[in-house]
Amino acid sequence: MRVDIITIFPDYLSPLELSLVGRARDRGIIDVHLHDLRQWASDVHRTVDDAPYGGGPGMVMRPEPWWAALTEVSESGAADGRRPRIIVPTPVGRPFTQGYAGGLAAEPWLVFCCGRYEGIDARVIEAWADDEISLGDYVLAGGEVATLVMVEAVTRLLPGVVGNAESVADDSFANGLLEPPVYTRPPVWHDREVPAVLRSGDHGAIIRWRREVALRRTAQRRPDLLAGTDPAGTDPAGRVAQ
Ligand code: SAM
């Protein structure tokens, strides 16, 4: 999978060199390209923002550098007929979910556009974005952290990245439920005992116990999941409704 990230703070994405994503890059499973938006700014000061029409506080990211950046990045794969899926992290987007991450994991090429200030001029988003995606109901300073989260969640789902594929299949949300609690040795710790069934060696009983506890936990903590709705959807071809 190829991933391009356009940002005014490429250094902010340095965690993508570490741990699971870093190893996936080393092994050629994911090919990450960072781009500094300012290289597409035309003035001597490399300005990428301007005052908002209609007044109000803060600045808005100008359309010209974004348009030039997205044109050049998209055309860089045009030789082999590829077109990227373009994602704009934004608090006004659809919520990011495991189902949506699974859809992205099936795509060959993703482009993330990291907004700053009050966001990116809406005309860029209308013309270029396939998805506007929110990490949650809070406001971050920029799209970089949201992009880090999405790239890590998607990379985990790529074949060969997580050693035991079953562990991804058993994760929270993979089957619509929260994962049951997990334990390791010792069997008793500070008077707290690992449930006997997990030490019984009875695989059928263990599967039933895990299912029951996962259902109970999900009903208590996230009853919305049992309704079976995925607010971001899983259809990678679906564009965000305007
Ligand atoms: N004024 C905007 C609003 O109220 O919707 C918030 C702009 S925020 C300060 C700057 C950038 O951070 C956004 O353009 C977006 O890229 C990113 N961002 C902030 N919160 C986010 C969230 N919850 N999910 C995804 N991206 C977010």
Side-chain angles (χ1 to χ4, degrees):
M1 170 185 279
R2 172 174 167 180
V3 174
D4 289 77
I5 303 170
I6 306 169
T7 167
I8 58 170
F9 294 121
D11 290 349
Y12 223 115
L13 284 304
S14 58
L16 295 179
E17 291 166 13
L18 306 174
S19 183
L20 176 136
V21 180
R23 285 196 301 277
R25 291 174 75 176
D26 291 344
R27 293 166 59 205
I29 296 174
I30 175 171
D31 180 21
V32 178
H33 302 257
L34 301 179
H35 307 277
D36 186 343
L37 178 70
R38 290 192 196 279
Q39 70 181 279
W40 286 285
S42 51
D43 66 313
V44 68
H45 300 295
R46 300 271 173 225
T47 311
V48 295
D49 61 318
D50 206 339
Y53 274 116
M59 302 294 271
V60 173
M61 295 190 105
R62 297 174 55 158
E64 305 94 320
W66 274 109
W67 207 281
L70 286 163
T71 302
E72 192 172 322
V73 169
S74 298
E75 285 177 355
S76 69
D80 46 7
R82 292 195 298 168
R83 184 199 174 279
R85 185 174 182 87
I86 298 175
I87 299 145
V88 177
T90 166
V92 303
R94 291 184 295 171
F96 184 62
T97 65
Q98 188 73 2
Y100 175 73
L104 291 188
E107 296 275 336
W109 185 10
L110 304 176
V111 173
F112 291 90
C113 306
C114 302
R116 282 268 154 182
Y117 317 116
E118 291 305 314
I120 302 170
D121 185 289
R123 292 165 292 184
V124 174
I125 295 169
E126 283 164 19
W128 288 92
D130 291 299
D131 301 313
E132 295 175 70
I133 297 295
S134 169
L135 266 235
D137 293 347
Y138 42 80
V139 177
L140 302 165
E144 289 78 10
V145 170
T147 297
L148 285 171
V149 169
M150 289 192 265
V151 171
E152 182 165 308
V154 170
T155 304
R156 286 186 79 249
L157 300 177
L158 297 176
V161 170
V162 173
N164 182 350
E166 274 179 30
S167 79
V168 173
D170 280 353
D171 275 338
S172 293
F173 313 112
N175 55 10
L177 299 176
L178 299 179
E179 193 180 63
V182 293
Y183 302 89
T184 186
R185 285 177 288 190
V188 181
W189 181 247
H190 288 270
D191 295 331
R192 292 169 190 270
E193 198 171 337
V194 175
V197 63
L198 295 179
R199 294 177 282 139
S200 68
D202 180 341
H203 292 298
I206 292 171
I207 288 169
R208 283 193 298 280
W209 180 87
R210 287 199 170 129
R211 175 90 187 153
E212 280 162 25
V213 176
L215 272 168
R216 197 160 55 239
R217 192 177 236 198
T218 308
Q220 284 166 349
R221 300 183 181 192
R222 292 291 305 278
D224 56 303
L225 292 177
L226 295 176
T229 51
D230 179 351
T234 55
D235 173 15
R239 294 177 71 96
V240 177
Q242 299 296 315

